[in-house]
Amino acid sequence: MRIGHGYDVHAFTDGDGLWLGGVRIEHDQGVAAHSDGDVVLHALMDALLGAAGLGDIGQHFPNRDARYRGAASGDLLQDVLEKIRAQNLRVVNVDVTVIAQAPQLGPHREAMGRSMAQLLQLDEGRVNLKATTHEGLGALGRGEGIAVHAVALLEDAG
Ligand code: MG
């Protein structure tokens, strides 16, 4: 068994929504990002890469590389999963915590869980999603951005 942790944060900017866990969520703001800015999938990829001992997404998909401008994070995640399979590892479960004052994730929780399970090719029961505000504290509390922690467990594929 191998465990990994990932963290990502994106600042809110002008826009009309954001990608979270592969789901487009309407909001009165967007996020500043080089790719599609899916902060959930970014943290998830870092957790998976961490568990596999493969560094971080910055190393695999550099910001300065024009190929990844506007990249769909779901596609990048498929790349990460291939790298994990190449190490003869598979995902056991993942646990994700989203920290933001807004948008409220309650109405999107099911869709996000389903989307992440599909992307990871896991049963939905192996994909857990939690959401919390930052209790008004600091930049996240002022609603200036959105942060995500993710934990992933991998096992030998046998
Ligand atoms: Mg990111």
Side-chain angles (χ1 to χ4, degrees):
M1 295 281 202
R2 301 180 62 110
I3 194 167
H5 171 260
Y7 175 77
D8 195 27
V9 61
H10 281 260
F12 283 129
T13 184
D14 290 342
D16 56 8
L18 61 164
W19 288 94
L20 288 178
V23 174
R24 179 74 183 175
I25 289 173
E26 283 187 27
H27 190 46
D28 57 5
Q29 290 178 301
V31 295
H34 184 74
S35 68
D36 65 7
D38 193 322
V39 63
V40 168
L41 295 189
H42 293 181
L44 200 49
M45 284 189 267
D46 263 352
L48 293 165
L49 289 168
L54 291 173
D56 64 35
I57 54 172
Q59 292 172 268
H60 292 274
F61 314 113
N63 267 348
R64 57 188 179 279
D65 192 326
R67 268 183 305 169
Y68 303 119
R69 191 179 303 278
S73 297
D75 293 344
L76 304 184
L77 176 57
Q78 297 315 307
D79 266 31
V80 167
L81 291 170
E82 264 173 48
K83 292 175 201 289
I84 282 166
R85 277 182 222 117
Q87 303 266 72
N88 200 36
L89 292 166
R90 69 178 164 224
V91 184
V92 177
N93 74 305
V94 300
D95 186 24
V96 172
T97 304
V98 180
I99 306 164
Q101 296 300 124
Q104 284 225 339
L105 294 190
H108 310 288
R109 188 186 288 262
E110 259 189 59
M112 287 172 62
R114 207 179 309 128
S115 165
M116 286 190 288
Q118 221 162 56
L119 289 167
L120 292 162
Q121 293 150 41
L122 284 179
D123 291 342
E124 285 180 44
R126 291 175 180 262
V127 177
N128 194 68
L129 176 65
K130 308 189 297 296
T132 182
T133 70
H134 212 242
E135 294 291 337
L137 294 168
L140 290 174
R142 289 189 296 272
E144 294 174 13
I146 179 167
V148 177
H149 290 273
V151 175
L153 189 69
L154 304 180
E155 68 182 354
D156 288 335

